[in-house]
mmCIF file of all heavy atoms in Angstrom:
data_model
loop_
_atom_site.group_PDB
_atom_site.id
_atom_site.type_symbol
_atom_site.label_atom_id
_atom_site.label_comp_id
_atom_site.label_asym_id
_atom_site.label_seq_id
_atom_site.Cartn_x
_atom_site.Cartn_y
_atom_site.Cartn_z
ATOM 1 N N LEU A 619 38.828 66.208 -77.651
ATOM 2 C CA LEU A 619 39.605 67.442 -77.716
ATOM 3 C C LEU A 619 38.885 68.563 -76.986
ATOM 4 O O LEU A 619 39.501 69.325 -76.233
ATOM 5 C CB LEU A 619 39.867 67.834 -79.175
ATOM 6 C CG LEU A 619 40.706 69.077 -79.393
ATOM 7 C CD1 LEU A 619 42.066 68.950 -78.717
ATOM 8 C CD2 LEU A 619 40.883 69.340 -80.874
ATOM 9 N N HIS A 620 37.576 68.658 -77.178
ATOM 10 C CA HIS A 620 36.789 69.676 -76.482
ATOM 11 C C HIS A 620 36.898 69.510 -74.971
ATOM 12 O O HIS A 620 37.101 70.469 -74.234
ATOM 13 C CB HIS A 620 35.323 69.615 -76.925
ATOM 14 C CG HIS A 620 34.452 70.595 -76.208
ATOM 15 N ND1 HIS A 620 33.740 70.258 -75.077
ATOM 16 C CD2 HIS A 620 34.212 71.909 -76.457
ATOM 17 C CE1 HIS A 620 33.087 71.320 -74.649
ATOM 18 N NE2 HIS A 620 33.341 72.341 -75.479
ATOM 19 N N ASP A 621 36.738 68.266 -74.493
ATOM 20 C CA ASP A 621 36.849 67.991 -73.058
ATOM 21 C C ASP A 621 38.212 68.383 -72.522
ATOM 22 O O ASP A 621 38.323 68.982 -71.455
ATOM 23 C CB ASP A 621 36.581 66.509 -72.778
ATOM 24 C CG ASP A 621 35.137 66.115 -73.016
ATOM 25 O OD1 ASP A 621 34.284 67.016 -73.172
ATOM 26 O OD2 ASP A 621 34.878 64.895 -73.063
ATOM 27 N N ALA A 622 39.256 68.040 -73.261
ATOM 28 C CA ALA A 622 40.614 68.379 -72.825
ATOM 29 C C ALA A 622 40.803 69.890 -72.756
ATOM 30 O O ALA A 622 41.405 70.408 -71.813
ATOM 31 C CB ALA A 622 41.641 67.767 -73.773
ATOM 32 N N LEU A 623 40.290 70.600 -73.731
ATOM 33 C CA LEU A 623 40.405 72.063 -73.726
ATOM 34 C C LEU A 623 39.604 72.684 -72.586
ATOM 35 O O LEU A 623 40.044 73.666 -71.984
ATOM 36 C CB LEU A 623 39.953 72.631 -75.073
ATOM 37 C CG LEU A 623 40.883 72.341 -76.243
ATOM 38 C CD1 LEU A 623 40.252 72.802 -77.548
ATOM 39 C CD2 LEU A 623 42.240 72.988 -76.040
ATOM 40 N N CYS A 624 38.446 72.110 -72.275
ATOM 41 C CA CYS A 624 37.660 72.615 -71.144
ATOM 42 C C CYS A 624 38.408 72.432 -69.829
ATOM 43 O O CYS A 624 38.444 73.341 -68.994
ATOM 44 C CB CYS A 624 36.311 71.905 -71.084
ATOM 45 S SG CYS A 624 35.170 72.432 -72.372
ATOM 46 N N VAL A 625 39.002 71.265 -69.650
ATOM 47 C CA VAL A 625 39.780 71.013 -68.436
ATOM 48 C C VAL A 625 40.947 71.989 -68.362
ATOM 49 O O VAL A 625 41.199 72.595 -67.325
ATOM 50 C CB VAL A 625 40.283 69.550 -68.389
ATOM 51 C CG1 VAL A 625 41.323 69.368 -67.301
ATOM 52 C CG2 VAL A 625 39.121 68.602 -68.192
ATOM 53 N N LEU A 626 41.639 72.161 -69.472
ATOM 54 C CA LEU A 626 42.780 73.070 -69.511
ATOM 55 C C LEU A 626 42.373 74.492 -69.161
ATOM 56 O O LEU A 626 43.032 75.160 -68.369
ATOM 57 C CB LEU A 626 43.444 73.025 -70.887
ATOM 58 C CG LEU A 626 44.692 73.870 -71.070
ATOM 59 C CD1 LEU A 626 45.771 73.439 -70.091
ATOM 60 C CD2 LEU A 626 45.192 73.758 -72.489
ATOM 61 N N SER A 627 41.269 74.955 -69.720
ATOM 62 C CA SER A 627 40.848 76.323 -69.449
ATOM 63 C C SER A 627 40.422 76.497 -67.998
ATOM 64 O O SER A 627 40.707 77.517 -67.383
ATOM 65 C CB SER A 627 39.719 76.739 -70.390
ATOM 66 O OG SER A 627 38.553 76.004 -70.115
ATOM 67 N N GLN A 628 39.763 75.492 -67.427
ATOM 68 C CA GLN A 628 39.360 75.578 -66.024
ATOM 69 C C GLN A 628 40.565 75.572 -65.103
ATOM 70 O O GLN A 628 40.631 76.329 -64.148
ATOM 71 C CB GLN A 628 38.446 74.415 -65.659
ATOM 72 C CG GLN A 628 37.058 74.553 -66.204
ATOM 73 C CD GLN A 628 36.179 73.396 -65.773
ATOM 74 O OE1 GLN A 628 36.662 72.376 -65.272
ATOM 75 N NE2 GLN A 628 34.884 73.538 -65.973
ATOM 76 N N VAL A 629 41.528 74.727 -65.399
ATOM 77 C CA VAL A 629 42.708 74.606 -64.558
ATOM 78 C C VAL A 629 43.562 75.859 -64.638
ATOM 79 O O VAL A 629 43.987 76.415 -63.636
ATOM 80 C CB VAL A 629 43.528 73.356 -64.951
ATOM 81 C CG1 VAL A 629 44.874 73.357 -64.273
ATOM 82 C CG2 VAL A 629 42.766 72.101 -64.595
ATOM 83 N N ALA A 630 43.813 76.326 -65.832
ATOM 84 C CA ALA A 630 44.680 77.490 -66.012
ATOM 85 C C ALA A 630 44.073 78.733 -65.384
ATOM 86 O O ALA A 630 44.793 79.579 -64.849
ATOM 87 C CB ALA A 630 44.941 77.713 -67.497
ATOM 88 N N GLY A 631 42.759 78.844 -65.415
ATOM 89 C CA GLY A 631 42.122 80.042 -64.914
ATOM 90 C C GLY A 631 41.928 80.077 -63.418
ATOM 91 O O GLY A 631 41.931 81.137 -62.818
ATOM 92 N N THR A 632 41.763 78.926 -62.780
ATOM 93 C CA THR A 632 41.384 78.927 -61.372
ATOM 94 C C THR A 632 42.472 78.472 -60.412
ATOM 95 O O THR A 632 42.529 78.929 -59.296
ATOM 96 C CB THR A 632 40.152 78.025 -61.162
ATOM 97 O OG1 THR A 632 40.483 76.693 -61.561
ATOM 98 C CG2 THR A 632 38.969 78.522 -61.965
ATOM 99 N N GLU A 633 43.301 77.569 -60.829
ATOM 100 C CA GLU A 633 44.302 77.031 -59.911
ATOM 101 C C GLU A 633 45.553 76.626 -60.686
ATOM 102 O O GLU A 633 45.609 75.552 -61.250
ATOM 103 C CB GLU A 633 43.729 75.820 -59.168
ATOM 104 C CG GLU A 633 44.616 75.358 -58.045
ATOM 105 C CD GLU A 633 43.957 74.260 -57.221
ATOM 106 O OE1 GLU A 633 42.736 74.156 -57.192
ATOM 107 O OE2 GLU A 633 44.717 73.504 -56.610
ATOM 108 N N PRO A 634 46.552 77.492 -60.690
ATOM 109 C CA PRO A 634 47.751 77.193 -61.470
ATOM 110 C C PRO A 634 48.718 76.217 -60.794
ATOM 111 O O PRO A 634 49.755 75.906 -61.348
ATOM 112 C CB PRO A 634 48.393 78.565 -61.648
ATOM 113 C CG PRO A 634 47.974 79.324 -60.429
ATOM 114 C CD PRO A 634 46.590 78.825 -60.100
ATOM 115 N N SER A 635 48.371 75.713 -59.629
ATOM 116 C CA SER A 635 49.276 74.818 -58.905
ATOM 117 C C SER A 635 49.438 73.491 -59.633
ATOM 118 O O SER A 635 48.499 72.978 -60.241
ATOM 119 C CB SER A 635 48.742 74.547 -57.504
ATOM 120 O OG SER A 635 48.639 75.753 -56.780
ATOM 121 N N THR A 636 50.646 72.939 -59.526
ATOM 122 C CA THR A 636 50.928 71.645 -60.132
ATOM 123 C C THR A 636 51.591 70.724 -59.115
ATOM 124 O O THR A 636 52.091 71.176 -58.081
ATOM 125 C CB THR A 636 51.863 71.783 -61.355
ATOM 126 O OG1 THR A 636 53.090 72.377 -60.941
ATOM 127 C CG2 THR A 636 51.228 72.617 -62.449
ATOM 128 N N VAL A 637 51.570 69.440 -59.434
ATOM 129 C CA VAL A 637 52.272 68.431 -58.650
ATOM 130 C C VAL A 637 53.157 67.647 -59.610
ATOM 131 O O VAL A 637 52.956 67.697 -60.822
ATOM 132 C CB VAL A 637 51.296 67.475 -57.918
ATOM 133 C CG1 VAL A 637 50.491 68.213 -56.871
ATOM 134 C CG2 VAL A 637 50.378 66.766 -58.898
ATOM 135 N N LEU A 638 54.119 66.942 -59.072
ATOM 136 C CA LEU A 638 54.969 66.118 -59.921
ATOM 137 C C LEU A 638 54.140 64.991 -60.527
ATOM 138 O O LEU A 638 53.302 64.389 -59.864
ATOM 139 C CB LEU A 638 56.139 65.551 -59.121
ATOM 140 C CG LEU A 638 57.156 66.593 -58.654
ATOM 141 C CD1 LEU A 638 58.208 65.941 -57.769
ATOM 142 C CD2 LEU A 638 57.795 67.303 -59.818
ATOM 143 N N GLY A 639 54.381 64.724 -61.794
ATOM 144 C CA GLY A 639 53.612 63.719 -62.515
ATOM 145 C C GLY A 639 54.369 62.420 -62.682
ATOM 146 O O GLY A 639 55.307 62.126 -61.949
ATOM 147 N N ALA A 640 53.943 61.643 -63.659
ATOM 148 C CA ALA A 640 54.593 60.389 -64.046
ATOM 149 C C ALA A 640 54.613 59.359 -62.922
ATOM 150 O O ALA A 640 55.546 58.591 -62.773
ATOM 151 C CB ALA A 640 56.005 60.661 -64.545
ATOM 152 N N GLY A 641 53.543 59.356 -62.109
ATOM 153 C CA GLY A 641 53.445 58.374 -61.036
ATOM 154 C C GLY A 641 54.104 58.786 -59.738
ATOM 155 O O GLY A 641 53.959 58.104 -58.727
ATOM 156 N N CYS A 642 54.790 59.909 -59.743
ATOM 157 C CA CYS A 642 55.495 60.360 -58.539
ATOM 158 C C CYS A 642 54.522 60.708 -57.422
ATOM 159 O O CYS A 642 54.674 60.241 -56.293
ATOM 160 C CB CYS A 642 56.374 61.566 -58.882
ATOM 161 S SG CYS A 642 57.276 62.217 -57.478
ATOM 162 N N SER A 643 53.523 61.518 -57.715
ATOM 163 C CA SER A 643 52.592 61.935 -56.666
ATOM 164 C C SER A 643 51.792 60.753 -56.129
ATOM 165 O O SER A 643 51.499 60.689 -54.930
ATOM 166 C CB SER A 643 51.678 63.052 -57.155
ATOM 167 O OG SER A 643 50.964 62.661 -58.292
#
Side-chain angles (χ1 to χ4, degrees):
L619 182 57
H620 178 266
D621 291 348
L623 290 173
C624 287
V625 168
L626 183 60
S627 67
Q628 285 182 347
V629 169
T632 60
E633 190 173 336
S635 299
T636 60
V637 295
L638 292 175
C642 179
S643 57

